[in-house]
Amino acid sequence: MLVFRLVTLPVSDGNAEEVALYHKWLEVFQSGSFPVGDETWQYPPGMSLALLAPVLLPVLTYQHAFYVTAFLVDAAVFAALWRTGRQPGRSMMGAWVWTIGVPLLGSMPYARLDMTVTGICVAALLWLPTRPRVGGALVGVGATMKLWPVLVLLGVGPGGTMRTVWARALGAAVALTLMLAAVLPGAWSFLSGQRARGLQIESFGALPFHVARHFGWPGQVELAYGAMQFTGPYAELVAYALPALSVFALGGLVLLRWHLPRSFFTGAAPSVLGLAAVLVCIFTSRVFSPQFMLWAVGLLAVGTTWRSSGLRTTARLVLAACGFTLVIYPFTYFDVMASTWSAIITLAVRDALLVTAAVHLLRTLRTAARAAGDQSAEASGLVPRPQSAEETDEVVATR
C-alpha cells in the first residue's frame, strides 16, 4: 500500500528515486555493458539478474513491476518459513520474525535489491540441511549479487559436507560471474566502486562525529556514492580504518568457529554463525544503509525455525532495532543529517540494541567453544577428573 501510494507518509521515502536509478542501470545493461564509471554502482555482476527480473512482468511499468517482484519474493519466503515451521521439531517463530521484521522496516524492503538477495539466502539456508549441494549453489548465486551470503558457510559443519557445500558455492559463483562477464563488459568494475567511499552518517563509526558537531567539530555532510557521508577532520581516517577492522573482526569469528564442537553444527548453525558475521560486518562498516537490517531479519527468520537455535533473545533485540531504523529512515533522516540530539539518541539506541544482540550471540558461541575445550582437555588428561572414593583408597593402599 505504501509503495503503490495507496497510503502516503508525511515524509519522502525515496522509493521512486531508488527504483528510477535501477531502471537507469537496466538501460545501461541493455546497451551491452555494466555501468562502468557510475559511482553509485557498487555490486557484483550477479545483481544484474535482480535488475532484469521485473522485465518478466511486461504489462507493468518497471517501477511497479519491481515492487510486485519484491512482493513475490516476500510471499515466497513467508510460505517457505510457514511450511518449515510446521515440521516436527521446528518452530513457527521464523515465520513471525519475517512477518514482523519486514513491515518494521517500512516500504524500503520493496524498493531495494536486497529483498531478492535475502530471499535467495533464505532458500539456501532452508535447503542446506537436507540438500547441501542445492543450498551451496544458492549461496554462490547470492554471493554474486552481494557478498554477504557467503558468510553463512561459516556454519557448515566439518567433513565431507563442508567440502561439498563450499565447492558448489564456489562453482556456482565462478560460473555465473564468468558467464555475465563474457556477455557484458565491465563486470569487475564493482571491485573499485567503493574504494573511496566515506563515513556514512548512519554508520556506527559516525555516531561520535554527530556528537562532536555540537562541540565545535567543523565537519560537513555531503552526498557521495549515493549516500550522505561526513567530510572533515578524522572522518576519512575512520573510513579507511573500518575495513581493516572488519577483516580483523571476521578473523576472530573464524577462529572462534574452529573451536566450536562438532555437536554445535546442527541445521541452525549456518544461520547463527552467518548472523554473527553479518552483525560484525555491520558494526565495522563505514556504510550502514537501512536495508542491511533486512539481511539480519532473513537470517533470524531461518534460525528461529529451529527450536534449538537459541536466537529468540537476539531476534527480539534485532526486531526492536528495526523499529528504530524506520524512525531514522525515512521519518527523521533530515534530523540525522543535521545531527540533532533527538537523532543522536535514536541512533545510539539502535546501535545499543544491535550491540547487545551481537554480544549475547557471541557470548553463546564463546561458551560453546569453551565447553568444547574443557571436554577436550579432560579427555586428553590435561584436566584431572574427580576420583571416586574407591579410586582414592586404591591409590593410598598402593603408596
Side-chain angles (χ1 to χ4, degrees):
M1 294 175 71
L2 286 170
V3 294
F4 280 100
R5 300 292 183 182
L6 299 177
V7 174
T8 58
L9 297 175
V11 294
S12 174
D13 53 23
N15 290 338
E17 294 80 3
E18 193 72 22
V19 179
L21 176 61
Y22 299 158
H23 193 197
K24 184 184 77 170
W25 289 340
L26 175 64
E27 292 174 346
V28 176
F29 292 140
Q30 291 173 333
S31 69
S33 174
F34 279 89
V36 180
D38 187 342
E39 67 176 17
T40 59
W41 174 257
Q42 302 136 17
Y43 303 104
M47 190 60 84
S48 59
L49 300 178
L51 290 167
L52 289 168
V55 180
L56 300 177
L57 301 172
V59 177
L60 303 173
T61 65
Y62 183 82
Q63 180 180 355
H64 290 171
F66 190 95
Y67 298 151
V68 171
T69 301
F71 167 75
L72 293 175
V73 175
D74 176 18
V77 169
F78 172 76
L81 292 169
W82 176 276
R83 180 181 178 184
T84 302
R86 294 172 63 87
Q87 296 174 4
R90 305 299 283 269
S91 170
M92 290 297 296
M93 187 174 180
W96 277 110
V97 168
W98 184 259
T99 301
I100 296 171
V102 174
L104 274 177
L105 294 172
S107 60
M108 177 273 299
Y110 278 18
R112 298 296 188 278
L113 296 164
D114 298 79
M115 177 64 84
T116 301
V117 182
T118 303
I120 292 174
C121 190
V122 167
L125 289 169
L126 293 175
W127 279 112
L128 277 174
T130 55
R131 296 192 177 181
R133 290 181 174 83
V134 177
L138 287 173
V139 169
V141 172
T144 65
M145 296 180 173
K146 278 199 170 181
L147 298 179
W148 69 266
V150 77
L151 297 174
V152 305
L153 297 182
L154 288 173
V156 179
T161 300
M162 183 174 68
R163 290 190 294 272
T164 299
V165 171
W166 275 92
R168 283 302 177 101
L170 181 61
V174 170
L176 183 57
T177 300
L178 291 178
M179 181 186 69
L180 291 171
V183 175
L184 298 173
W188 307 104
S189 61
F190 78 97
L191 293 174
S192 58
Q194 300 194 55
R195 184 176 299 169
R197 288 198 74 163
L199 190 66
Q200 189 174 337
I201 60 174
E202 300 151 85
S203 65
F204 274 70
L207 186 59
F209 292 97
H210 282 290
V211 177
R213 293 180 80 183
H214 291 271
F215 297 94
W217 183 65
Q220 300 293 327
V221 174
E222 67 175 23
L223 177 64
Y225 294 90
M228 306 305 297
Q229 63 183 38
F230 276 128
T231 60
Y234 306 109
E236 186 176 357
L237 177 63
V238 173
Y240 277 111
L242 284 173
L245 186 59
S246 291
V247 174
F248 177 79
L250 285 175
L253 184 60
V254 170
L255 184 62
L256 177 61
R257 177 250 185 264
W258 288 112
H259 285 85
L260 292 170
R262 281 180 172 267
S263 59
F264 178 85
F265 293 95
T266 62
S271 302
V272 174
L273 283 165
L275 176 63
V278 162
L279 290 177
V280 165
C281 288
I282 288 175
F283 297 153
T284 56
S285 174
R286 52 191 171 186
V287 180
F288 190 168
S289 299
Q291 56 263 33
F292 290 7
M293 295 300 299
L294 189 62
W295 310 350
V297 170
L299 292 168
L300 277 168
V302 179
T304 50
T305 62
W306 298 87
R307 297 184 184 275
S308 60
S309 66
L311 288 176
R312 288 178 177 263
T313 299
T314 303
R316 294 185 181 99
L317 291 167
V318 171
L319 289 177
C322 287
F324 280 93
T325 301
L326 179 61
V327 174
I328 294 168
Y329 183 87
F331 286 100
T332 62
Y333 197 67
F334 287 106
D335 291 336
V336 176
M337 292 172 58
S339 298
T340 65
W341 281 114
S342 60
I344 291 172
I345 292 172
T346 306
L347 284 168
V349 172
R350 182 208 60 183
D351 292 354
L353 286 167
L354 289 175
V355 168
T356 304
V359 168
H360 180 270
L361 182 56
L362 291 172
R363 286 183 63 183
T364 302
L365 295 174
R366 187 179 179 186
T367 300
R370 279 185 170 180
D374 292 342
Q375 292 174 3
S376 177
E378 182 176 342
S380 64
L382 296 176
V383 178
R385 62 181 177 83
Q387 292 181 331
S388 64
E390 291 80 2
E391 289 174 324
T392 303
D393 292 340
E394 182 180 351
V395 170
V396 172
T398 303
R399 291 179 179 174

